[in-house]
Amino acid sequence: MQWDHEEGAWAETGVQLVVRKTDLDPSLLAEVIRTPPTSLSVPDADSRRAGQPQEGVWSLAVHKRYPGGVNEQFLELLAQIEPYSSGINHLAAQGYEVTISVTGFVGNGSSFTLTPDVVSRMAALNVPLTVSPSTSDR
């Protein structure tokens, strides 16, 4: 009996620009990145006293399913953030942690592919890429 291994694509993927800082200023981010976030969390005085996380997080996510998978999700995110690349670099220079992340469920041999165009456009942004696969059972 022969067993063949066939690779599959990641499932339930998402890509996002994530901006973090303890004293995150949502109004500054609204000026710099003139696209509303899909998620915003800013600790208030009550949460600080309660010992909850002190970090503010602003994110812009693309979770829509596209025929081109993760690569096409990156194309959508890049179209939204590239016009603000100098502002994004300015935020990083001001101490904001800026990353682009890709998440999804994976099985044995799962993979995704990025075209050279997407890779070069992401490199031009000078923003770190974080890849976070979930291997839990679905």
Side-chain angles (χ1 to χ4, degrees), residues 32-90:
V32 171
I33 306 170
R34 293 182 295 270
T35 300
T38 52
S39 176
L40 174 63
S41 173
V42 180
D44 59 17
D46 291 336
S47 65
R48 292 179 200 275
R49 282 193 294 274
Q52 295 177 353
Q54 303 299 306
E55 185 175 61
V57 180
W58 181 104
S59 66
L60 178 62
V62 176
H63 289 287
K64 181 177 177 183
R65 304 296 163 243
Y66 289 103
V70 172
N71 191 76
E72 202 166 339
Q73 288 176 320
F74 271 109
L75 288 170
E76 175 64 28
L77 181 66
L78 289 166
Q80 293 181 53
I81 64 175
E82 280 177 322
Y84 312 113
S85 62
S86 64
I88 291 169
N89 288 322
H90 180 71

Side-chain angles (χ1 to χ4, degrees), residues 50-132:
Q52 295 177 353
Q54 303 299 306
E55 185 175 61
V57 180
W58 181 104
S59 66
L60 178 62
V62 176
H63 289 287
K64 181 177 177 183
R65 304 296 163 243
Y66 289 103
V70 172
N71 191 76
E72 202 166 339
Q73 288 176 320
F74 271 109
L75 288 170
E76 175 64 28
L77 181 66
L78 289 166
Q80 293 181 53
I81 64 175
E82 280 177 322
Y84 312 113
S85 62
S86 64
I88 291 169
N89 288 322
H90 180 71
L91 290 171
Q94 290 185 355
Y96 284 83
E97 178 188 344
V98 181
T99 59
I100 294 176
S101 72
V102 57
T103 59
F105 289 96
V106 299
N108 290 337
S110 293
S111 64
F112 65 85
T113 303
L114 300 177
T115 61
D117 174 58
V118 166
V119 172
S120 66
R121 289 169 65 186
M122 287 178 43
L125 287 173
N126 198 31
V127 173
L129 173 65
T130 303
V131 179
S132 302

